[in-house]
């Protein structure tokens, strides 16, 4: 039976949503970037190198210098 919103405990709602969250993560389409072979979302520009379909879509700030400092 459906319950009114106020009758469902907040922890119950949140634990259910947390469970569904991991199913959504598993359902995400992941592919590898053809340029740097990093995991990325399908049909999205690569967050590592900023390339999509062989073209640079946006500049990615290099974080190697920041990690060393
Ligand atoms: Zn890439």
């Amino acid at each position: 039976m459906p319950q009114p919103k106020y009758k469902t405990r907040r922890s119950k709602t949140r634990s259910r949503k947390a469970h569904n969250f991991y199913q959504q993560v598993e359902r995400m389409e992941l592919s590898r970037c053809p340029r740097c072979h990093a995991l990325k979302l399908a049909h999205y520009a690569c967050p590592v190198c900023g390339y999509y379909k062989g073209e640079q879509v946006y500049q990615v700030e290099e974080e190697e210098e920041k990690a060393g400092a």
Side-chain angles (χ1 to χ4, degrees):
M1 277 288 284
Q3 295 292 325
K5 193 174 184 180
Y6 70 89
K7 273 199 167 184
T8 308
R9 283 171 295 140
R10 188 185 292 168
S11 61
K12 178 77 177 175
T13 304
R14 289 182 177 175
S15 67
R16 182 180 63 240
K17 285 185 175 178
H19 179 73
N20 290 337
F21 174 77
Y22 282 106
Q23 288 185 330
Q24 286 171 6
V25 168
E26 288 171 2
R27 253 187 269 121
M28 283 197 305
E29 287 185 81
L30 291 173
S31 62
R32 290 206 177 269
C33 174
R35 189 167 177 272
C36 65
H37 307 291
L39 271 177
K40 69 172 190 66
L41 280 169
H43 312 296
Y44 279 81
C46 174
V48 179
C49 60
Y51 270 68
Y52 184 68
K53 285 188 176 179
E55 293 178 18
Q56 186 147 32
V57 185
Y58 61 89
Q59 288 284 337
V60 179
E61 295 177 24
E62 294 190 12
E63 296 184 7
E64 294 175 13
E65 296 176 14
K66 292 176 185 174

